[in-house]
Amino acid sequence: MLTAPIPAGAVRHAGGCLQPVLLLGRVDHIDGATGELLHRYTTVHEPGGVLPIACKTRRASQCPPCAEVYRADTYQLIRAGLSGGKGIPATVATHPCVFATLTAPSFGPVHARREKNGRIIACHPRRGDPACPDGRPQSCRQRHGRDDALLGEPLCPGCYDHTGSVLFNACAPELWRRFTITLRRSLARQAGLTNKALAAQLRVSYAKVAEYQRRGVVHFHAIIRLDGPSTAPPAWATLELLTAAITQAAGAVHVETPPAPGVPGRILAWGRGHDIRPVSTTGDLSDTKVAAYVAKYATKAAECTGTLDRRITPADQLADLPIREHVRRLIAECIRLSKLPGFGSLRLAAWAHMLGFSGHFSTKSRTYSTTLGALRADRARHQREYAIAAGLWPGPGGDTILVLAHWSFTGRGQPPVSLRPATSSGPGRPERPDLPPGGDARWT
Ligand SMILES: [Zn+2]
Ligand SMILES: [Zn+2]
Ligand SMILES: [Zn+2]
């Protein structure tokens, strides 16, 4: 059966999407031998005459219903990598595995909510309350509340290293890439093996998610797991070895930025104090806890920093945008640096609203777990099976059935309210399946 003409995922319900893509068109199932039209689906009988397709964004700030689907899929994917399922053997739960957080260094003191032994303590107390060269206090004795507007604000915006902050964000994906390479070398060194010998015996699998701190820099949370060439890693590949290798690699990698007029080249590295904790199905940090945490961050971007949820265009008046003052300075720095020779490849103007970060928010190594695509294909298969069983869609009809689809894009948003009487789309009409099946991959 030829199915290529159907845009994958085109024929499905919008699942409560707030900003669906609206399609106009039809799908014909034709008997290749006789030319007989076996089945026709057309959007004519849909409400408003169009078929709404979910936007499928991962961003909760843009479409909560679609982001919820993405979050649930990410949870399944992450959890399968920790305790098995979805085609991953349950024995992965016995592999050495940690949840590591790699943070950015300091670019100047910011107001922060600090806790010690369950008590909130003073933000930045400094003996003698010193002042900076701008005459601003370098000390803050406040105990900041969770929703305090000061959180993430520099103690002195004049002294804060905005350049370093946006360059770090821009270089963070490269820093991560170098970290993963160095981690393998570090494991080899600790195990007394050559890089090649290590690769034959051990595989490093990971899944990582980026999170913005309120001060406007990204940090990464990563699940890092050791596997063998088939499943179990060799006995010498212990949790201790993995932890030591991560610490070594995170401390060793750096990225050098090119010098530009007025901006000397600098060396960017991770901040100190990497948090590395073992993940297990029984310990403090369980598979479900980690999966829930990663899945939550996979649906976010930079919005928690108070930035704009879209690209900055030349038409924007930066001073008028409804954003935090600290964020305004970081965006302005992205735009300023983008005009300097040497920084072109960082595309800082295009990613100014992300405060310089242009990387992916969630990534994984190929071997970590199943894929989002596989989870979506599973769901689509269930929809198709249901639709066929309910007589709403033709079943597989052999090699001679041709499926011809004609789609056109008509707009974005909620379909116009239909004035058509409800009976015109009643279940008695074979050409209008109530639950059109389809794949779930990106259709664009
Ligand atoms: Zn949506
Ligand atoms: Zn403070
Ligand atoms: Zn200052």
Side-chain angles (χ1 to χ4, degrees):
M1 185 162 123
L2 301 174
T3 55
I6 304 182
V11 194
R12 66 176 287 251
H13 279 214
C17 176
L18 302 185
Q19 48 180 15
V21 170
L22 303 176
L23 293 184
L24 202 70
R26 65 170 200 268
V27 181
D28 290 342
H29 287 69
I30 296 162
D31 188 319
T34 65
E36 184 194 352
L37 177 65
L38 300 173
H39 186 280
R40 168 170 287 176
Y41 163 75
T42 159
T43 55
V44 165
H45 305 295
E46 295 288 352
V50 289
L51 181 68
I53 304 297
C55 73
K56 290 179 204 151
T57 182
R58 65 169 189 90
R59 310 261 312 262
S61 61
Q62 293 182 353
C63 180
C66 288
E68 174 52 25
V69 173
Y70 188 90
R71 190 203 60 75
D73 281 352
T74 302
Y75 177 87
Q76 296 294 342
L77 181 152
I78 294 295
R79 187 161 174 216
L82 295 171
S83 52
K86 308 282 170 196
I88 308 297
T91 47
V92 287
T94 63
H95 297 197
C97 182
V98 298
F99 188 55
T101 301
L102 299 177
T103 57
S106 171
F107 299 105
V110 296
H111 293 282
R113 178 184 164 88
R114 298 185 198 282
E115 285 183 38
K116 199 173 182 182
N117 304 326
R119 265 181 355 112
I120 305 157
I121 57 169
C123 167
H124 258 92
R126 295 284 180 277
R127 200 185 296 273
D129 295 325
C132 76
D134 306 297
R136 283 177 165 263
Q138 296 250 36
S139 171
C140 172
R141 296 176 187 282
Q142 288 190 56
R143 289 175 173 78
H144 295 295
R146 226 174 268 284
D147 301 320
D148 196 323
L150 273 178
L151 291 180
E153 288 294 314
L155 265 61
C156 174
C159 293
Y160 195 77
D161 180 9
H162 299 86
T163 314
S165 177
V166 300
L167 286 177
F168 178 87
N169 282 350
C171 294
E174 176 60 15
L175 200 55
W176 169 263
R177 193 185 69 84
R178 294 186 186 188
F179 165 74
T180 59
I181 294 167
T182 308
L183 175 59
R184 290 182 177 90
R185 291 182 186 154
S186 176
L187 283 164
R189 197 175 313 121
Q190 310 240 0
L193 297 169
T194 64
N195 294 338
K196 202 173 163 190
L198 181 101
Q201 296 180 40
L202 195 70
R203 215 166 50 192
V204 183
S205 299
Y206 69 83
K208 83 161 202 306
V209 68
E211 181 195 350
Y212 272 85
Q213 291 180 307
R214 186 81 184 148
R215 62 180 168 137
V217 282
V218 282
H219 63 189
F220 292 132
H221 299 290
I223 296 162
I224 305 174
R225 189 187 72 207
L226 295 181
D227 303 331
S230 50
T231 52
W236 54 259
T238 60
L239 193 63
E240 291 67 36
L241 183 92
L242 174 60
T243 306
I246 291 172
T247 307
Q248 199 276 324
V253 291
H254 63 265
V255 174
E256 280 175 53
T257 63
V263 186
R266 55 167 82 201
I267 292 173
L268 295 166
W270 302 112
R272 273 166 297 167
H274 319 295
D275 185 32
I276 307 169
R277 289 186 287 163
V279 186
S280 67
T281 46
T282 49
D284 277 355
L285 200 55
S286 67
D287 54 331
T288 50
K289 214 172 185 176
V290 171
Y293 193 80
V294 170
K296 185 177 103 185
Y297 281 104
T299 66
K300 292 179 192 259
E303 58 273 10
C304 78
T305 64
T307 184
L308 215 59
D309 209 7
R310 61 161 175 84
R311 285 201 172 174
I312 313 280
T313 70
D316 283 315
Q317 294 296 323
L318 195 52
D320 298 338
L321 294 177
I323 51 179
R324 267 172 70 204
E325 228 21 72
H326 176 52
V327 163
R328 201 183 314 275
R329 283 181 179 245
L330 291 169
I331 290 175
E333 187 62 4
C334 283
I335 294 169
R336 184 183 80 86
L337 293 178
S338 74
K339 294 175 182 152
L340 299 181
F343 291 132
S345 64
L346 298 179
R347 303 192 62 228
L348 284 162
W351 298 103
H353 65 303
M354 290 292 182
L355 316 181
F357 180 65
S358 65
H360 293 292
F361 275 79
S362 42
T363 58
K364 65 173 198 67
S365 64
R366 199 176 46 78
T367 51
Y368 172 76
S369 182
T370 181
T371 63
L372 289 179
L375 293 173
R376 288 167 181 159
D378 252 4
R379 196 161 50 236
R381 195 157 45 242
H382 283 126
Q383 284 180 357
R384 188 176 291 114
E385 282 164 10
Y386 170 83
I388 292 169
L392 301 168
W393 195 253
D399 293 338
T400 60
I401 304 277
L402 300 173
V403 182
L404 299 178
H406 314 264
W407 294 110
S408 59
F409 169 79
T410 62
R412 195 98 199 250
Q414 294 302 322
V417 177
S418 174
L419 299 175
R420 200 178 293 275
T423 49
S424 70
S425 60
R429 299 180 67 91
E431 74 271 35
R432 192 268 176 196
D434 280 329
L435 184 65
D440 202 349
R442 266 188 193 286
W443 68 276
T444 46

Short mmCIF file of all heavy atoms in Angstrom, two decimals, residues 408-439:
data_model
loop_
_atom_site.label_atom_id
_atom_site.label_comp_id
_atom_site.label_asym_id
_atom_site.label_seq_id
_atom_site.Cartn_x
_atom_site.Cartn_y
_atom_site.Cartn_z
N SER A 408 -3.75 21.60 1.53
CA SER A 408 -3.22 22.96 1.44
C SER A 408 -3.37 23.64 2.79
O SER A 408 -4.30 23.35 3.55
CB SER A 408 -3.90 23.75 0.32
OG SER A 408 -5.29 23.80 0.56
N PHE A 409 -2.44 24.52 3.06
CA PHE A 409 -2.39 25.25 4.33
C PHE A 409 -3.33 26.45 4.23
O PHE A 409 -3.26 27.20 3.26
CB PHE A 409 -0.94 25.69 4.54
CG PHE A 409 -0.76 26.68 5.65
CD1 PHE A 409 -0.75 26.26 6.97
CD2 PHE A 409 -0.58 28.03 5.38
CE1 PHE A 409 -0.56 27.17 8.01
CE2 PHE A 409 -0.39 28.94 6.41
CZ PHE A 409 -0.38 28.50 7.73
N THR A 410 -4.22 26.59 5.22
CA THR A 410 -5.14 27.74 5.12
C THR A 410 -4.94 28.75 6.24
O THR A 410 -5.48 29.85 6.16
CB THR A 410 -6.62 27.31 5.15
OG1 THR A 410 -6.87 26.69 6.41
CG2 THR A 410 -6.95 26.36 4.04
N GLY A 411 -4.22 28.39 7.27
CA GLY A 411 -4.01 29.37 8.32
C GLY A 411 -3.61 28.73 9.62
O GLY A 411 -3.30 27.54 9.69
N ARG A 412 -3.63 29.53 10.66
CA ARG A 412 -3.20 29.12 11.98
C ARG A 412 -4.21 29.63 12.98
O ARG A 412 -4.74 30.72 12.82
CB ARG A 412 -1.83 29.79 12.24
CG ARG A 412 -1.06 29.23 13.39
CD ARG A 412 -0.04 28.24 12.89
NE ARG A 412 0.39 27.39 13.98
CZ ARG A 412 1.61 27.44 14.52
NH1 ARG A 412 2.50 28.29 14.08
NH2 ARG A 412 1.92 26.64 15.51
N GLY A 413 -4.54 28.84 13.99
CA GLY A 413 -5.46 29.29 15.02
C GLY A 413 -6.67 28.38 15.08
O GLY A 413 -6.68 27.33 14.46
N GLN A 414 -7.66 28.78 15.86
CA GLN A 414 -8.86 27.96 16.00
C GLN A 414 -9.67 28.00 14.70
O GLN A 414 -9.75 29.04 14.06
CB GLN A 414 -9.71 28.46 17.16
CG GLN A 414 -9.05 28.28 18.51
CD GLN A 414 -8.67 26.84 18.83
OE1 GLN A 414 -9.41 25.92 18.50
NE2 GLN A 414 -7.51 26.63 19.43
N PRO A 415 -10.22 26.85 14.27
CA PRO A 415 -11.03 26.86 13.05
C PRO A 415 -12.24 27.77 13.23
O PRO A 415 -12.75 27.88 14.35
CB PRO A 415 -11.46 25.41 12.87
CG PRO A 415 -11.06 24.69 14.10
CD PRO A 415 -10.15 25.54 14.90
N PRO A 416 -12.68 28.41 12.15
CA PRO A 416 -13.88 29.24 12.26
C PRO A 416 -15.06 28.38 12.69
O PRO A 416 -15.13 27.20 12.33
CB PRO A 416 -14.06 29.80 10.85
CG PRO A 416 -13.20 28.96 9.96
CD PRO A 416 -12.13 28.37 10.80
N VAL A 417 -15.97 28.96 13.45
CA VAL A 417 -17.14 28.22 13.92
C VAL A 417 -18.00 27.86 12.71
O VAL A 417 -18.31 28.70 11.88
CB VAL A 417 -17.95 29.06 14.92
CG1 VAL A 417 -19.20 28.32 15.36
CG2 VAL A 417 -17.08 29.39 16.13
N SER A 418 -18.35 26.57 12.65
CA SER A 418 -19.10 26.09 11.49
C SER A 418 -20.58 26.42 11.62
O SER A 418 -21.16 26.31 12.68
CB SER A 418 -18.94 24.58 11.38
OG SER A 418 -19.76 24.11 10.35
N LEU A 419 -21.18 26.86 10.51
CA LEU A 419 -22.63 27.12 10.49
C LEU A 419 -23.36 25.91 9.93
O LEU A 419 -24.57 25.86 9.86
CB LEU A 419 -22.93 28.35 9.63
CG LEU A 419 -22.30 29.65 10.14
CD1 LEU A 419 -22.55 30.77 9.15
CD2 LEU A 419 -22.85 30.03 11.52
N ARG A 420 -22.55 24.91 9.52
CA ARG A 420 -23.10 23.71 8.92
C ARG A 420 -23.89 22.91 9.98
O ARG A 420 -23.44 22.79 11.11
CB ARG A 420 -21.93 22.85 8.46
CG ARG A 420 -22.25 21.82 7.42
CD ARG A 420 -20.94 21.13 7.06
NE ARG A 420 -20.04 22.04 6.38
CZ ARG A 420 -20.07 22.25 5.07
NH1 ARG A 420 -20.95 21.63 4.33
NH2 ARG A 420 -19.23 23.07 4.51
N PRO A 421 -25.05 22.38 9.64
CA PRO A 421 -25.77 21.56 10.63
C PRO A 421 -24.95 20.33 11.01
O PRO A 421 -24.22 19.78 10.18
CB PRO A 421 -27.06 21.17 9.91
CG PRO A 421 -26.87 21.51 8.47
CD PRO A 421 -25.78 22.50 8.37
N ALA A 422 -25.07 19.93 12.26
CA ALA A 422 -24.25 18.84 12.79
C ALA A 422 -24.44 17.55 12.01
O ALA A 422 -23.54 16.74 11.92
CB ALA A 422 -24.58 18.62 14.26
N THR A 423 -25.61 17.37 11.43
CA THR A 423 -25.90 16.11 10.74
C THR A 423 -24.97 15.88 9.54
O THR A 423 -24.75 14.76 9.15
CB THR A 423 -27.35 16.08 10.24
OG1 THR A 423 -27.59 17.31 9.55
CG2 THR A 423 -28.35 15.93 11.36
N SER A 424 -24.45 16.97 8.98
CA SER A 424 -23.62 16.79 7.78
C SER A 424 -22.32 16.07 8.10
O SER A 424 -21.64 15.62 7.20
CB SER A 424 -23.30 18.15 7.16
OG SER A 424 -22.41 18.85 8.01
N SER A 425 -21.97 15.97 9.36
CA SER A 425 -20.74 15.25 9.68
C SER A 425 -21.05 14.07 10.59
O SER A 425 -20.22 13.66 11.38
CB SER A 425 -19.73 16.19 10.33
OG SER A 425 -20.28 16.70 11.53
N GLY A 426 -22.25 13.57 10.50
CA GLY A 426 -22.65 12.47 11.35
C GLY A 426 -21.90 11.19 11.05
O GLY A 426 -21.26 11.07 10.01
N PRO A 427 -21.94 10.24 11.97
CA PRO A 427 -21.16 9.02 11.83
C PRO A 427 -21.59 8.17 10.64
O PRO A 427 -20.86 7.28 10.24
CB PRO A 427 -21.37 8.29 13.15
CG PRO A 427 -22.62 8.89 13.73
CD PRO A 427 -22.71 10.28 13.20
N GLY A 428 -22.78 8.46 10.08
CA GLY A 428 -23.24 7.66 8.95
C GLY A 428 -22.45 7.92 7.67
O GLY A 428 -22.53 7.16 6.72
N ARG A 429 -21.69 9.00 7.63
CA ARG A 429 -20.99 9.35 6.41
C ARG A 429 -19.63 8.65 6.37
O ARG A 429 -18.75 8.97 7.14
CB ARG A 429 -20.78 10.85 6.34
CG ARG A 429 -22.06 11.65 6.33
CD ARG A 429 -21.74 13.11 6.25
NE ARG A 429 -21.12 13.43 4.97
CZ ARG A 429 -21.81 13.81 3.90
NH1 ARG A 429 -23.11 13.91 3.97
NH2 ARG A 429 -21.20 14.09 2.79
N PRO A 430 -19.47 7.70 5.46
CA PRO A 430 -18.23 6.93 5.46
C PRO A 430 -17.00 7.76 5.10
O PRO A 430 -15.91 7.42 5.46
CB PRO A 430 -18.50 5.85 4.41
CG PRO A 430 -19.57 6.40 3.55
CD PRO A 430 -20.39 7.27 4.41
N GLU A 431 -17.18 8.88 4.38
CA GLU A 431 -16.00 9.63 3.93
C GLU A 431 -15.46 10.58 4.99
O GLU A 431 -14.52 11.28 4.77
CB GLU A 431 -16.32 10.41 2.64
CG GLU A 431 -17.20 11.63 2.83
CD GLU A 431 -18.66 11.30 2.72
OE1 GLU A 431 -19.08 10.19 3.15
OE2 GLU A 431 -19.39 12.15 2.21
N ARG A 432 -16.13 10.61 6.14
CA ARG A 432 -15.67 11.53 7.15
C ARG A 432 -15.39 10.77 8.46
O ARG A 432 -16.23 10.65 9.32
CB ARG A 432 -16.71 12.62 7.38
CG ARG A 432 -16.21 13.80 8.21
CD ARG A 432 -16.50 13.59 9.66
NE ARG A 432 -15.96 14.66 10.47
CZ ARG A 432 -15.81 14.56 11.77
NH1 ARG A 432 -16.13 13.47 12.39
NH2 ARG A 432 -15.31 15.55 12.44
N PRO A 433 -14.22 10.17 8.59
CA PRO A 433 -13.93 9.42 9.81
C PRO A 433 -13.91 10.36 11.01
O PRO A 433 -13.38 11.45 10.94
CB PRO A 433 -12.54 8.84 9.56
CG PRO A 433 -11.95 9.69 8.49
CD PRO A 433 -13.07 10.23 7.68
N ASP A 434 -14.52 9.95 12.11
CA ASP A 434 -14.51 10.80 13.30
C ASP A 434 -13.14 10.86 13.95
O ASP A 434 -12.81 11.81 14.63
CB ASP A 434 -15.54 10.27 14.32
CG ASP A 434 -16.93 10.72 13.93
OD1 ASP A 434 -17.04 11.80 13.34
OD2 ASP A 434 -17.89 9.98 14.20
N LEU A 435 -12.36 9.84 13.76
CA LEU A 435 -11.03 9.84 14.34
C LEU A 435 -10.02 9.50 13.25
O LEU A 435 -9.61 8.36 13.12
CB LEU A 435 -10.94 8.83 15.49
CG LEU A 435 -9.62 8.80 16.24
CD1 LEU A 435 -9.39 10.11 16.96
CD2 LEU A 435 -9.59 7.65 17.20
N PRO A 436 -9.67 10.45 12.42
CA PRO A 436 -8.72 10.13 11.36
C PRO A 436 -7.39 9.70 11.97
O PRO A 436 -6.90 10.36 12.88
CB PRO A 436 -8.57 11.45 10.60
CG PRO A 436 -9.65 12.35 11.10
CD PRO A 436 -9.99 11.87 12.47
N PRO A 437 -6.83 8.60 11.49
CA PRO A 437 -5.56 8.15 12.03
C PRO A 437 -4.41 8.89 11.36
O PRO A 437 -4.63 9.68 10.45
CB PRO A 437 -5.54 6.68 11.64
CG PRO A 437 -6.30 6.65 10.35
CD PRO A 437 -7.32 7.75 10.42
N GLY A 438 -3.23 8.62 11.79
CA GLY A 438 -2.08 9.24 11.12
C GLY A 438 -0.86 9.17 11.99
O GLY A 438 -0.92 8.88 13.18
N GLY A 439 0.28 9.45 11.41
CA GLY A 439 1.54 9.48 12.15
C GLY A 439 1.58 10.71 13.02
O GLY A 439 0.68 11.51 13.00
#
